[in-house]
Amino acid sequence: MTSRIIQIRREPNLLRMMLRWLGFAALGVAGAAALVYVGDWAVFYARGKPQDQIQVTRYMATPLKGHKTEYFYEGTQMTPCAQALFPQDGMDACWYRKRHPLYSENL
C-alpha cells in the first residue's frame, strides 16, 4: 500500500490579506513620494538653483515662568527661498514662505 501525502490548503486569512495590501499601498506611496522629491531636486539643480526673496516678519519667542511665552517683534526682512516643490538647499519653498510670512525663533 502506498502512502499519499495529502496537502491541506488553508483558506487565506482576510485580515492577513488586508494587511499585506496595506503594506503594498504604503510602500507604493512612499516610493512615489521619494520619486517626486528626487525629481524636484534634479529639476532644481538643473535649473541652476533658482531662488527668490520673500519679505517675512520676524519674532523672537522667549519662554517665561508658568508655561508662558513672550514675543519680541524684530521687524521685517527679506528671506531667500527656493523655487521648488520641497525645501531645497537649506531654504524653504517659495510657495510655503508666501503662505507663512511670520517667522519666529526660540531662545
Side-chain angles (χ1 to χ4, degrees):
M1 215 168 155
T2 61
S3 64
R4 292 185 183 179
I5 299 175
I6 300 174
Q7 292 182 350
I8 299 173
R9 184 174 172 177
R10 291 180 25 186
E11 291 296 321
N13 189 357
L14 182 62
L15 180 62
R16 210 175 270 191
M17 280 182 22
M18 286 176 46
L19 287 176
R20 179 179 287 160
W21 282 106
L22 278 174
F24 288 146
L27 193 61
V29 168
L35 283 175
V36 169
Y37 183 80
V38 168
D40 183 48
W41 176 83
V43 169
F44 179 72
Y45 278 92
R47 290 175 57 200
K49 299 182 182 180
Q51 298 178 6
D52 201 0
Q53 289 196 351
I54 304 293
Q55 185 173 357
V56 296
T57 304
R58 295 180 60 97
Y59 290 93
M60 179 71 72
T62 305
L64 301 175
K65 290 181 180 177
H67 302 290
K68 295 180 183 178
T69 304
E70 186 172 354
Y71 294 95
F72 298 100
Y73 176 73
E74 291 188 343
T76 58
Q77 74 179 43
M78 299 302 281
T79 304
C81 61
Q83 292 181 352
L85 294 176
F86 297 101
Q88 300 288 349
D89 210 27
M91 298 176 287
D92 288 333
C94 287
W95 66 267
Y96 179 81
R97 188 49 55 205
K98 285 178 184 175
R99 291 184 182 183
H100 300 92
L102 296 179
Y103 184 76
S104 66
E105 290 183 22
N106 295 329
L107 281 179

